Structures are given as structure tokens and as C-alpha cells.
Amino acid sequence: MPNERLKEAMQVAGLTPEGLAEELEVDAKTVRRWISSGRVPYPRHRSAVATMLDEAEEYLWPNIDTAERQARVSQSEVIRTYPRRFQVPPELWRRLFDNATERIGILVYSGLFLPEHDPGLIEALQQKAAAGTRITILLGDPDSEAVAVRGREEGIGDALAAKVRNVLSFYEKLRGTEGVFVGYHSTTLYNSIYRYDDEMLVNTHVYGFPAAHAPVLHLRRLAGGTLFNSYADSFDRVWTASRNAWGGDHGKVRP
């Protein structure tokens, strides 16, 4: 289909296909195809044409590939990457935690470093829950094959299952707290996820390396992006299949 919007905008601007082609340093036949067949230019050319014609790209090419736009927005959801989890600044962990008002979600195998490095974490979680923040903590089932496999992959054997039981003892004080769910999952995790409202830290898992020595992505949700939502959906899927670490479904509220 001919691109009538592009054709009209060029006429208003007093530009011929040859003139536009010269400005863009492309063949005039290419510009004519943009007009006559509705072919969509490369992104760099779209941006240049839109600027020259003083029109929005979305107006000139209303059928721009949605996936392309999503990809660009999704790239912007990545605030920063850290080569190792231990390189994530402590103040970032604290800021994300302090600013969260709606939900805090932790999806790990053990995540023992959290209560070990922050003696005030449990009390802070209780205060967050009392203020209406939903808390969801998902730990690997120490008796599951997934935890056993991960322990072997890290070269620590049964120590990972022991770490899970150890961390659960820290969270014991949260038992029965309204708005808090501490559960077990038996899922193969490809990432540990730490969600704080519309920001999250995604700690990738690398074969043969402990999570502390694997990369971390700092993400912030943006309208139209898909990266943050992909990890958020993954979190929800694990939650759906999880069970209360202390038995029953008490406290299992939507994360």
C-alpha cells in the first residue's frame, strides 16, 4: 500500500524523492519505494526523515514493528549491570528496600547473605508488612532435586540444602505475620530475583559459580517494555507452584 502520509508530508515540506534521497545520501529509488509500496525505512532513516518533515515517526509509519519498539524500550529498562553480585553497592540494596511500598519479592535457593549481612532485616520486613507491603520469599526446597543439583554444580554438595534450612531459621520470626509468605519451591532457577515494586535485581546463575560471583542486572519497569515483565512473570510462576515452608497455605497472597 502507498504511504500517503509520507507523500503528503514531503509535498508540504516541498521535498521531492530526489531531494530527500540527496539529503539522506540514499538512492532515489529507495525513497520512491518508501512512498509507492509503503516499505519501512531503517530506523536511522526514519528518524532523519521524521526530523526533516517535522512529523512523528509513528505518524509517518503507523505500522512500525511493535517488537522493534518493545526491544528499544526494553533495553532502556536495564539501568546497570554488575559483573558480580558482591559488587552491587550495599546502599542500592538498602534504597530499593526502603523505597518499596507495594511489594517485595525474593526468589532464591537460599539467599543466606541477606539476613547474615543485615541483622535488622527481619524487623524491617515486619515493619514493611505492617505498613501494607506484600512480602514474598521463595526458598529452594532443601529436599528437592533442584537444590541437590545446584549444590553439586556449585561444588558444595549438601551444603546448599543446609544453607536453606539455616536461612529459614532467620525467617522463623516472620511466621504468622500478615502479608508475609515464606515458601519452598522445587524449581530449576536460572536466576535469583529480588523485586522491589517496579525495580529488581536479577542475579544470573552460571554453571560452576556461586551466585555471589555471577552477574546482576538492575532493572526498572517501563511502559511498553518486556524485560522486567518477563522476570516478574517468571517469579509469579514459581510462586504459583510453591508451598508454605511451615506447612499449609497461610499467608499465600498474590506477590
Side-chain angles (χ1 to χ4, degrees):
M1 293 289 292
N3 189 331
E4 297 296 342
R5 292 185 179 184
L6 177 59
K7 180 180 178 180
E8 181 182 4
M10 288 174 60
Q11 290 173 346
V12 171
L15 276 173
T16 64
E18 290 75 17
L20 184 59
E22 184 177 353
E23 292 286 343
L24 297 174
E25 298 182 348
V26 300
D27 194 295
K29 293 181 180 178
T30 299
V31 176
R32 292 194 187 96
R33 282 194 289 268
W34 296 345
I35 300 170
S36 62
S37 66
R39 182 172 297 184
V40 178
Y42 290 121
R44 66 179 184 277
H45 291 147
R46 288 204 307 265
S47 178
V49 171
T51 300
M52 292 169 61
L53 300 180
D54 195 24
E55 294 284 2
E57 288 186 49
E58 291 76 10
Y59 172 77
L60 296 174
W61 297 281
N63 295 323
I64 291 176
D65 187 8
T66 301
E68 179 184 316
R69 284 182 290 177
Q70 286 182 337
R72 284 188 290 177
V73 174
S74 297
Q75 289 172 0
S76 297
E77 289 186 303
V78 181
I79 297 175
R80 185 168 178 179
T81 59
Y82 297 90
R84 303 286 187 267
R85 191 190 70 201
F86 64 78
Q87 294 174 321
V88 178
E91 55 269 24
L92 176 59
W93 289 99
R94 175 52 61 183
R95 178 184 68 79
L96 294 176
F97 183 92
D98 289 345
N99 290 347
T101 59
E102 296 182 2
R103 68 187 68 187
I104 292 175
I106 299 171
L107 171 59
V108 292
Y109 277 126
S110 70
L112 184 57
F113 75 97
L114 288 173
E116 276 192 335
H117 294 174
D118 186 356
L121 176 65
I122 306 304
E123 182 179 355
L125 287 170
Q126 290 172 326
Q127 293 173 352
K128 283 287 185 181
T133 305
R134 300 193 301 277
I135 313 292
T136 304
I137 302 171
L138 302 177
L139 308 172
D141 187 333
D143 298 320
S144 69
E145 180 63 15
V147 168
V149 169
R150 181 60 184 171
R152 291 195 296 268
E153 290 176 349
E154 289 189 11
I156 59 175
D158 295 338
L160 182 56
K163 288 170 67 175
V164 176
R165 295 187 176 94
N166 189 5
V167 77
L168 186 64
S169 68
F170 282 99
Y171 292 132
E172 176 68 29
K173 293 181 180 179
L174 297 175
R175 189 198 288 238
T177 301
E178 185 176 355
V180 175
F181 176 73
V182 179
Y184 277 157
H185 69 84
S186 56
T187 310
T188 299
L189 292 185
Y190 302 100
N191 310 273
S192 296
I193 298 175
Y194 306 87
R195 178 175 181 178
Y196 306 90
D197 288 347
D198 288 336
E199 291 190 59
M200 71 170 57
L201 297 173
V202 179
N203 187 185
T204 65
H205 290 184
V206 179
Y207 182 86
F209 288 85
H213 295 273
V216 170
L217 301 176
H218 179 192
L219 306 180
R220 179 179 295 150
R221 172 185 268 160
L222 293 175
T226 60
L227 190 57
F228 183 100
N229 287 340
S230 293
Y231 288 109
D233 289 346
S234 176
F235 189 109
D236 288 349
R237 288 173 184 267
V238 177
W239 173 86
T240 298
S242 68
R243 63 181 178 85
N244 193 297
W246 295 296
D249 280 333
H250 175 73
K252 191 169 185 180
V253 295
R254 174 61 60 182

